[in-house]
Amino acid sequence: MDFYFGLLQIIGVHTILGLSAYIVLLTGQVTIAQAGFFAIGAYIAGMLTVLAGWHLVPAMLVAALVAGFVACLVGFPALRVKGLMLVVATTAFGEAVRLFWFNFDYQIAKGDVQVGPLGGEGFKQIRFFPENGWTTGDVALFIWFWVAVIMAGLWWMDRSRAGAVLRAVGEDELAAQSVGINLTAAKVSAFAVGGFIAGIGGAIYAHYTTHIEHANFGVILATFAIAYPILGGLSSVLGTLLAVIFIQGFLVEGLRFLGDWRNLLFGALIVLAMNVRPRGLIDERVLNTLRRTFSIGQGGGNA
Amino acid sequence: MLELDGLTKHFGGVRAVDKLSLSVKEGEIFGLIGPNGSGKSTTVNLICGVFPVTAGSIRFAGADITAAQPHQALAAGVVRTFQNIRLFSNLTVWQNLWVAQNGMESRKSENFLKRWLSGDAPARRSVEELLEFAGLIGRRDEYAGNLSFGEQRRLELGRALAAKPKMLLLDEPAAGMNLEEVGHLDQRLRKLVERGVTILLVEHVMELVMGVTDRIAVLNFGQKIAEGTPAEIQNDKAVQEAYLGGSSGS
């Protein structure tokens, strides 16, 4: 049973990470910085619970606010660059964050052991869950509660005017400006909200693995972050969830029996999926079919 | 209403617009014509703040909008359309009009958060009116990218009106239209003027320009070479030379 709870935890955290990239991608900005915000959330929440003895929830929210604030700071210079240049800039930022934690030591004595982040050795003993007697089932439930909250929030945002504004910016910045949309506000707020969500994901991740180190937050993780919403399709947050289940559940776990061949097939299957469904697993057509089936009503008139 | 004074824009060594001064009066349709590359579109881009101005000033309704960002120019009442249609093709017709509800009235009437998240009731009513104006009521939930060319042009004009502009800058609205459609456009522009909108029309289609405008300015190599009524312009030596002697006029 623990295996399945573990899988649920991974899928949950990666969904949060993917959703953090989803909102930034809506504005047409390809960001490789999400792993950086994720790392900031992880380390800060870890330090607050381990070193300062906070409860996880406030620690998580403070860590997410810090990550969101940093994202805001990244968002302003990111306004000036687009496309590949933005990819390069955000990659550089992500690496800078990783290297910061690689060099960051702050340990205090707790009983007879030293706790806290220790540079290249990482941050061990983030034992909030075991110390408070949470079972893996409790943890999975806790994670999925936050997944549900974030997904519901983004779903609602998507159907509100803000969602349409972000999409308008993503489609054509010049036209968006000329109908009076404030580009700076739209892009920076997308970055800030994305950073906040990544911070929450990082905070949860630090606590369920209990041991984090700089190498967890490299470019690979950042690539996964944008791969989920792109593979899932930017029509709906459901796409991101489906893509995480597809990659983490099916490709990573489901194909484990293939041994070393798994990694090869992994890449090939993603390429295949993108070829068959170029606008993502869940595109506008699927979404419209779903809407008709559940007769939620079309997005426009009554949104 | 709109006053350009010594407006200049250099791109590197190229003087795209050179000491352009002109004044558009309230309630008129003012034509801006000239051969390709004469600086018409650049002028439009300068007025609505897409490019920073090199020198000179732009005043609109008494306010200085020389350094305004596009959304600030729009807040002042200046809205433009594009030479090549630039709709949000993966948004529906309804959403295209909805995101464009950034006019002054809705700014004042509701608080920021509400306007940002849902748009206000007047904005929704305004979307309905615009759907009717553009003749797209039955197509409201269609993605803009699926509309026909004529429908897209109508939607773009509707979207520009969504901000309740005092002045419209139309960048070649008749491009790609047949004569019948140009006739419809002519009528629609006159209707807009009746509603109190001032129009700056950048256009190549002479049937439209000569028929609908009150006054015309002619640009060549970024400089104004003539200004006057359509009849005066048609008989102007310098203008004939620019068009006939130039390499690629229409």
Side-chain angles (χ1 to χ4, degrees):
Chain A
M1 204 58 205
D2 270 4
F3 168 76
Y4 291 102
F5 280 134
L7 188 59
L8 266 182
Q9 291 171 355
I10 293 172
I11 292 177
V13 167
H14 278 251
T15 304
I16 295 177
L17 180 65
L19 292 174
S20 83
Y22 174 86
I23 183 165
V24 183
L25 285 167
L26 279 190
T27 62
Q29 306 180 96
V30 179
T31 164
I32 312 290
Q34 298 315 107
F37 307 135
F38 193 77
I40 292 171
Y43 272 90
I44 290 189
M47 285 195 284
L48 286 174
T49 57
V50 174
L51 304 180
W54 286 27
H55 188 269
L56 176 58
V57 174
M60 195 166 94
L61 292 178
V62 169
L65 281 176
V66 174
F69 177 71
V70 175
C72 214
L73 296 184
V74 176
F76 276 102
L79 282 173
R80 302 193 145 265
V81 289
K82 280 177 203 164
L84 270 184
M85 294 301 141
L86 182 62
V87 171
V88 172
T90 49
T91 309
F93 167 80
E95 284 299 283
V97 170
R98 185 178 69 78
L99 290 169
F100 174 82
W101 297 119
F102 181 56
N103 290 292
F104 183 79
D105 297 333
Y106 186 85
Q107 289 209 307
I108 57 169
K110 197 174 175 188
D112 50 357
V113 287
Q114 293 280 321
V115 291
L118 182 64
E121 302 209 355
F123 186 174
K124 295 171 186 165
Q125 306 286 327
I126 308 174
R127 298 179 54 79
F128 177 85
F129 287 137
E131 274 169 12
N132 289 281
W134 293 39
T135 66
T136 35
D138 295 337
V139 176
L141 200 66
F142 178 78
I143 293 174
W144 279 88
F145 167 75
W146 287 99
V147 173
V149 168
I150 293 168
M151 274 186 82
L154 285 179
W155 173 268
W156 174 75
M157 190 269 330
D158 235 347
R159 290 173 60 80
S160 77
R161 184 164 176 277
V165 165
L166 294 184
R167 283 170 195 277
V169 170
E171 283 210 24
D172 189 333
E173 289 187 10
L174 190 57
Q177 273 188 314
S178 72
V179 299
I181 292 169
N182 183 339
L183 274 194
T184 309
K187 287 176 142 188
V188 172
S189 34
F191 246 101
V193 174
F196 182 87
I197 295 173
I200 291 183
I204 295 175
Y205 171 76
H207 287 83
Y208 89 73
T209 57
T210 71
H211 171 197
I212 53 177
E213 56 180 58
H214 71 98
N216 300 141
F217 308 104
V219 174
I220 296 278
L221 187 71
T223 313
F224 269 114
I226 57 166
Y228 298 135
I230 291 175
L231 176 67
L234 290 175
S235 305
S236 157
V237 288
L238 292 177
T240 304
L241 176 64
L242 196 67
V244 176
I245 294 173
F246 178 67
I247 292 181
Q248 292 296 336
F250 176 64
L251 294 185
V252 174
E253 291 302 329
L255 300 182
R256 205 174 272 283
F257 68 93
L258 289 173
D260 289 344
W261 289 95
R262 181 181 59 154
N263 290 333
L264 194 149
L265 202 64
F266 178 92
L269 273 174
I270 290 182
V271 172
L272 182 73
M274 287 313 290
N275 269 297
V276 177
R277 303 202 65 83
R279 288 191 62 79
L281 297 177
I282 295 192
D283 56 11
E284 289 87 356
R285 254 227 230 103
V286 176
L287 208 60
N288 278 341
T289 317
L290 282 177
R291 284 209 183 111
R292 267 195 296 278
T293 316
F294 299 102
S295 63
I296 307 172
Q298 292 278 321
N302 46 15
Chain B
M1 179 157 227
L2 177 74
E3 274 144 44
L4 308 183
D5 185 19
L7 189 65
T8 302
K9 175 67 187 177
H10 295 183
F11 289 108
V14 181
R15 296 181 174 197
V17 177
D18 194 8
K19 300 197 190 75
L20 174 64
S21 297
L22 53 85
S23 141
V24 180
K25 292 184 203 121
E26 187 160 3
E28 73 177 344
I29 300 184
F30 192 95
L32 192 60
I33 62 174
N36 286 330
S38 57
K40 306 179 299 286
S41 290
T42 307
T43 306
V44 169
N45 282 326
L46 290 175
I47 295 172
C48 42
V50 176
F51 300 142
V53 170
T54 307
S57 73
I58 306 165
R59 295 182 67 76
F60 179 74
D64 186 354
I65 58 164
T66 312
Q69 293 279 309
H71 66 271
Q72 292 164 333
L74 179 130
V78 185
V79 180
R80 58 103 47 108
T81 63
F82 292 92
Q83 187 173 344
N84 43 344
I85 301 176
R86 303 185 81 136
L87 292 169
F88 307 120
S89 20
N90 287 314
L91 298 187
T92 64
V93 169
W94 193 90
Q95 286 176 317
N96 264 276
L97 296 172
W98 198 29
V99 296
Q101 297 291 330
N102 296 298
M104 294 185 299
E105 278 178 34
S106 54
R107 259 168 215 273
K108 281 177 197 155
S109 62
E110 305 270 343
N111 68 56
F112 170 79
L113 198 65
K114 180 153 184 229
R115 180 167 58 83
W116 181 243
L117 290 176
S118 66
D120 43 20
R124 283 161 189 275
R125 271 199 302 280
S126 150
V127 170
E128 297 304 319
E129 284 168 22
L130 290 166
L131 279 174
E132 198 173 329
F133 175 83
L136 291 169
I137 286 190
R139 311 279 275 160
R140 57 189 304 150
D141 289 325
E142 190 62 71
Y143 289 107
N146 296 344
L147 297 181
S148 75
F149 182 78
E151 288 173 325
Q152 294 196 357
R153 279 260 177 240
R154 299 205 304 265
L155 178 57
E156 197 185 30
L157 189 58
R159 192 183 63 179
L161 292 174
K164 311 232 173 12
K166 293 181 199 153
M167 176 157 200
L168 266 181
L169 311 178
L170 301 178
D171 196 355
E172 303 202 18
M177 284 188 174
N178 61 33
L179 274 184
E180 191 194 337
E181 287 167 332
V182 170
H184 286 302
L185 181 64
D186 185 309
Q187 287 163 15
R188 209 170 282 127
L189 295 186
R190 287 171 200 277
K191 226 180 260 170
L192 285 177
V193 173
E194 280 168 28
R195 287 185 177 194
V197 180
T198 307
I199 294 174
L200 180 72
L201 176 68
V202 173
E203 190 50 83
H204 269 307
V205 179
M206 287 304 148
E207 289 84 353
L208 182 66
V209 179
M210 293 303 166
V212 80
T213 54
D214 300 300
R215 285 190 306 141
I216 295 174
V218 187
L219 292 188
N220 198 20
F221 298 113
Q223 290 179 318
K224 184 169 77 174
I225 56 170
E227 186 176 341
T229 63
E232 285 166 3
I233 293 298
Q234 275 168 320
N235 297 318
D236 191 290
K237 282 269 157 18
V239 175
Q240 286 169 0
E241 216 162 88
Y243 270 90
L244 299 176
S247 51
S248 59
S250 64

